[in-house]
Amino acid sequence: MLFKGYTLNDFQVSAAQAIEAGKNVLLAAPTGSGKTLVAEYAIDRAVRAGRRAIYTSPIKALSNQKFRDFKNEGLRVGLMTGDLTLDPDAPIVIMTTEIFRNAVFEDPRRFDDTDFAIFDEVHFVDDIDRGTVWEESLIFAPPHVRFVGLSATIANLQEFGNWIRFVRPHELAVIEHTKRPVPLSHRLYHHDAGVFQLAQRSRALALHERAAARDQRHGTREGRRERERSRWGDKRERGQGRRIHTGPRPYQLLLDEIQNRVLLPALYFCFSRKECEIKAERSMHRRLLDRAERERMQDMFDEICARFELDPEQDPGLRGILGRALQGVGFHHAGVLPIHKEVVERLFTSGLLKLLFTTETFALGINMPARTVIFDLLRKYDGVQMNYMKSRDYLQMAGRAGRQGLDKSGLVISILEDEDLREAPLSRYHSGKVEPITSRFNLSYSTVLNLYDRLGGSGLLAAYDKSFAAFQAQTGSEATRKKKRNAARAALLARVQILRDAGYLGEEGLLPRGKVAQRINGYEIQATELLFSGVLDKMDMHQLAATFTALIHEERRRAELRGHRREPGKLMAEAEAAVRRFVAIELLQGVETPVKQPDWGIAAAVDCWSRGGTVDDLERLAHTDAGDVVRTLRMAIQMMRQVRMTVGKGEALGARLEEAIVAINRDVVDAKRQFELG
């Protein structure tokens, strides 16, 4: 079976046949095995029939990449990511899953002519913060829309498929493909044992114990440890993920070996932004490019800067990227400015960037494989403590190893600390077995209001009964099942009661507060409380910009920043009091995690930016990474647009919100300009 010049393999043929037979498709297959071709088959079928298709993804970078891919094929395609809206009425529209879910609630009729919704990375149902959006989309999308769900390996694929059969009217084909096009070769590294295979773990442990005993006899290990501490700082001072090494740093010895054995390019995963930057700087001596490659790198960098209208002379960050790139080295993490990340990604795609130090965000969705993947640590911070990462996370990152058509296999190397030799779940990682996905169903206030408006109180409870959470709760004895169901329903009814007590819901349905919150997606309660308190009417455009970013912003490193905190001003205090009104009602209902209070940590930076400040001002005043501030500003712009539409452009507040948007949506913050230039 041929499609787009490719001969489809067995699992692609099975999926295509299911699509032709009018079924939904749930496909699990490894990274790089050709899942996207199945999505494109469904899209092609819809477009040829004069119908539409929606392609949803969990991250904006992946949405942008898919938009460009379809555009390059000469197709008319739209894009909706919150940051950007381009041709939303096109026959193919790429959108983030949140926007799809919101559109389903706000205007389901817009999907009357839609045949397919593609859910890329559908295992995101298991994401603690955002998984509920995937469930809500699958439950509430119009019945005629068919789904194609694409995922990496899912342990409980059949259970997930059975739930989809329960909530969607069409038949479902569940297809699983386990063979990678480029197989992975897993290795381990410890400084006392070198590179070894899992089967040699006991030998590596014996070598380590012998070395430790020898050091103890000679009293050298503790002495080296203390010297390292005094020179580089204790890990408590350097943040999570910083290790104290004795002797030469293990990762440098490993990179020497990788370089000598010509196993580059390599992606080196760290779970600390600072570690990415430090390790990149410490690798500058490697000179991984020859003269011809350095010239090509310079030409490519100049070409990218010209395309995006960037001036390295005025941008120290860009000069740093070039300096590292000319040695074949780079770093990439969420704190980097979006435009700088774009430059690094394009340099890496060229194959000239040989060694990229990055956090796990690089592994999600965007197709940028390497010859080798290295893990700096197998443990990461889970929000509470350092824990061994999930197999799914390990495989998501490991899956970047091995380039189709270039490598016979992809090499994955994990650097082990001493305790990892005994405790790390290495067999689980290397076997490819992943954890089952779990429902994260947790209706937001906005969703509760939308559903209550459409379905009433009883319909709201029926909505929970359709959730994957309710489906998964149907295990154990009848008493256990009943207990789980009652607990979930009680939590839902508590949310409804909070909305009643706070004046969002009345006997007849939604009250004015509820109607406003219904139209705002994300921080809808905080925005509504501010609006109804009247505090926004007292603010100028600079104060509005600072306030909306405060609703979103959360400090990453609170302990370091206490010295920078100032007492909130009068309007700030009023804004906090407005949100506190709702929090008090939540606490009376026993809510453990009430809605977020405003965090003014970057207010001074935003105020400066809205008055024409520079990126340097932004980073200096925010005391945090510029990339984080830009991301927060972009989210604040989306929120202000929603509130402006709610109050009306003709109102004085609507006009000031528009002024605030224009003031902050410039230069590196302007996502649309960056996208259009690229």
Side-chain angles (χ1 to χ4, degrees):
M1 188 173 179
L2 284 171
F3 177 66
K4 289 192 172 181
Y6 294 98
T7 302
L8 300 187
N9 61 28
D10 290 347
F11 83 83
Q12 291 167 332
V13 169
S14 298
Q17 288 172 343
I19 288 165
E20 292 294 342
K23 298 179 182 180
N24 291 321
V25 173
L26 176 61
L27 168 62
T31 303
S33 57
K35 293 190 293 287
T36 307
L37 213 56
V38 172
E40 290 175 6
Y41 187 90
I43 290 168
D44 182 71
R45 191 183 186 284
V47 172
R48 279 192 290 111
R51 306 276 290 170
R52 299 177 75 213
I54 306 295
Y55 192 108
T56 83
S57 79
I59 57 169
K60 292 172 184 175
L62 183 54
S63 297
N64 293 348
Q65 187 181 53
K66 295 311 303 178
F67 176 87
R68 290 192 177 104
D69 290 347
F70 286 121
K71 200 83 173 166
N72 289 340
E73 291 179 25
L75 299 169
R76 183 186 166 201
V77 57
L79 180 68
M80 298 176 72
T81 64
D83 287 346
L84 294 165
T85 299
L86 303 170
D87 199 2
D89 298 318
I92 308 164
V93 182
I94 317 294
M95 58 177 72
T96 53
T97 315
E98 277 86 352
I99 286 187
F100 177 76
R101 188 276 314 265
N102 297 344
V104 162
F105 284 147
E106 290 163 11
D107 184 16
R109 295 294 305 274
R110 70 181 297 175
F111 299 109
D112 283 354
D113 58 352
T114 299
D115 263 3
F116 289 99
I118 318 297
F119 272 34
D120 207 350
E121 311 279 0
V122 74
H123 56 271
F124 249 73
V125 161
D126 192 66
D127 185 79
I128 290 173
D129 296 320
R130 301 168 62 205
T132 188
V133 171
W134 272 254
E135 280 194 55
E136 291 167 25
S137 298
L138 284 159
I139 295 167
F140 300 115
H144 70 273
V145 175
R146 282 196 278 155
F147 280 85
V148 176
L150 308 177
S151 175
T153 307
I154 296 178
N156 52 337
L157 186 66
Q158 293 302 329
E159 179 193 34
F160 186 54
N162 287 336
W163 171 70
I164 292 175
R165 290 186 179 105
F166 171 62
V167 294
R168 302 302 305 172
H170 297 94
E171 281 187 60
L172 173 73
V174 176
I175 300 165
E176 187 168 21
H177 178 74
T178 55
K179 188 178 179 184
R180 281 181 54 89
V182 182
L184 294 182
S185 177
H186 298 268
R187 295 290 184 272
L188 305 160
Y189 177 82
H190 185 274
H191 60 280
D192 290 330
V195 176
F196 62 97
Q197 295 189 41
L198 181 58
Q200 299 167 303
R201 186 180 196 171
S202 55
R203 175 181 168 274
L205 185 56
L207 286 169
H208 161 61
E209 287 172 346
R210 225 175 296 158
R214 187 172 60 247
D215 282 350
Q216 204 164 16
R217 278 197 308 274
H218 299 327
T220 54
R221 183 162 287 232
E222 282 306 309
R224 282 208 302 265
R225 186 179 289 267
E226 288 308 314
R227 284 199 300 276
E228 287 295 322
R229 276 185 172 163
S230 63
R231 189 174 176 193
W232 299 109
D234 184 276
K235 66 179 174 182
R236 286 183 295 276
E237 298 166 41
R238 293 295 303 279
Q240 293 290 353
R242 178 75 218 143
R243 289 173 292 161
I244 303 156
H245 299 304
T246 58
R249 287 184 179 77
Y251 82 90
Q252 291 179 327
L253 298 175
L254 175 60
L255 288 176
D256 289 344
E257 193 169 339
I258 295 290
Q259 186 177 344
N260 292 337
R261 291 176 58 193
V262 199
L263 295 171
L264 299 171
L267 284 172
Y268 191 114
F269 285 106
C270 303
F271 297 126
S272 154
R273 296 176 181 185
K274 187 56 72 179
E275 282 298 304
C276 288
E277 297 180 15
I278 289 169
K279 284 183 166 61
E281 291 303 325
R282 288 188 188 151
S283 298
M284 290 285 282
H285 67 282
R286 294 191 177 277
R287 298 181 67 85
L288 302 174
L289 305 186
D290 60 30
R291 181 179 291 178
E293 287 173 324
R294 284 168 66 88
E295 287 176 3
R296 279 166 53 208
M297 179 67 85
Q298 180 71 61
D299 290 344
M300 179 167 287
F301 179 82
D302 292 342
E303 185 184 310
I304 294 168
C305 288
R307 167 171 283 199
F308 286 102
E309 298 177 3
L310 303 173
D311 182 3
E313 293 299 314
Q314 303 297 318
D315 188 337
L318 271 179
R319 293 199 298 276
I321 289 170
L322 176 61
R324 289 184 291 273
L326 290 174
Q327 307 304 322
V329 176
F331 67 76
H332 182 289
H333 58 68
V336 174
L337 282 171
I339 188 62
H340 289 177
K341 281 199 290 188
E342 182 97 37
V343 172
V344 172
E345 287 165 14
R346 293 190 181 216
L347 294 176
F348 185 78
T349 306
S350 73
L352 289 170
L353 210 55
K354 305 294 187 185
L355 183 56
L356 184 66
F357 296 91
T358 184
T359 52
E360 60 193 308
T361 51
F362 194 82
L364 189 65
I366 50 179
N367 184 26
M368 295 187 188
R371 169 71 181 87
T372 301
V373 159
I374 302 168
F375 287 94
D376 188 53
L377 277 175
L378 290 177
R379 290 176 298 165
K380 64 176 185 173
Y381 189 62
D382 63 6
V384 180
Q385 59 188 1
M386 291 291 282
N387 266 330
Y388 286 109
M389 73 177 100
K390 289 182 176 180
S391 295
R392 189 186 307 124
D393 295 338
Y394 172 88
L395 289 169
Q396 181 95 47
M397 288 177 265
R400 292 289 158 225
R403 299 160 297 172
Q404 248 177 304
L406 291 173
D407 305 317
K408 288 182 179 176
S409 68
L411 179 62
V412 185
I413 304 178
S414 302
I415 300 176
L416 303 184
E417 295 193 302
D418 296 351
E419 57 266 37
D420 297 337
L421 285 168
R422 297 183 184 86
E423 299 169 12
L426 302 174
S427 301
R428 198 174 75 211
Y429 294 152
H430 290 200
S431 69
K433 291 177 182 172
V434 296
E435 302 80 9
I437 58 173
T438 305
S439 173
R440 306 295 180 181
F441 196 66
N442 179 27
L443 295 177
S444 67
Y445 286 116
S446 174
T447 301
V448 170
L449 290 165
N450 272 293
L451 292 177
Y452 198 95
D453 194 28
R454 285 169 54 195
L455 307 170
S458 58
L460 199 57
L461 294 174
Y464 163 74
D465 289 339
K466 284 186 172 182
S467 72
F468 190 37
F471 192 83
Q472 289 190 310
Q474 293 172 2
T475 55
S477 65
E478 187 175 335
T480 303
R481 294 200 301 271
K482 189 174 180 181
K483 187 178 176 182
K484 287 177 182 174
R485 186 168 186 259
N486 288 343
R489 285 181 156 227
L492 193 53
L493 290 172
R495 290 213 152 196
V496 172
Q497 189 58 51
I498 289 165
L499 290 168
R500 287 185 185 282
D501 294 346
Y504 287 67
L505 285 176
E507 292 304 318
E508 302 301 315
L510 268 61
L511 297 174
R513 262 189 166 91
K515 288 176 180 174
V516 167
Q518 181 189 26
R519 294 196 289 271
I520 300 170
N521 300 296
Y523 307 97
E524 62 277 356
I525 296 299
Q526 293 94 323
T528 302
E529 290 298 308
L530 293 180
L531 198 54
F532 277 78
S533 74
V535 67
L536 297 181
D537 293 311
K538 303 174 188 177
M539 293 182 176
D540 63 27
M541 66 176 186
H542 308 296
Q543 292 164 330
L544 286 170
T547 299
F548 277 90
T549 51
L551 297 185
I552 298 159
H553 174 67
E554 281 186 87
E555 297 289 11
R556 295 183 72 248
R557 300 183 290 269
R558 287 185 183 279
E560 297 174 19
L561 293 167
R562 283 181 188 139
H564 302 300
R565 295 201 170 277
R566 296 180 301 178
E567 284 298 308
K570 182 175 179 293
L571 293 179
M572 287 178 174
E574 278 189 48
E576 288 177 5
V579 177
R580 217 163 32 241
R581 184 193 85 91
F582 193 91
V583 169
I585 294 166
E586 286 186 301
L587 294 174
L588 284 173
Q589 283 288 342
V591 173
E592 290 182 12
T593 310
V595 298
K596 178 188 165 298
Q597 286 274 17
D599 183 331
W600 307 99
I602 60 170
V606 173
D607 183 77
C608 177
W609 180 256
S610 70
R611 296 175 191 275
T614 65
V615 174
D616 287 344
D617 295 330
L618 204 57
E619 202 155 25
R620 176 175 53 81
L621 291 167
H623 307 288
T624 189
D625 291 330
D628 291 328
V629 186
V630 168
R631 192 164 51 254
T632 302
L633 284 165
R634 287 179 176 183
M635 290 172 69
I637 288 164
Q638 289 174 234
M639 243 180 115
M640 286 192 283
R641 282 177 178 150
Q642 290 178 6
V643 174
R644 186 199 65 198
M645 287 172 68
T646 301
V647 300
K649 292 181 183 179
E651 298 295 318
L653 175 58
R656 284 201 309 284
L657 283 166
E658 180 60 30
E659 288 173 354
I661 291 167
V662 171
I664 62 175
N665 192 27
R666 61 180 177 82
D667 301 338
V668 294
V669 177
D670 188 345
K672 187 172 184 180
R673 179 175 178 273
Q674 179 182 328
F675 184 83
E676 288 173 343
L677 288 171

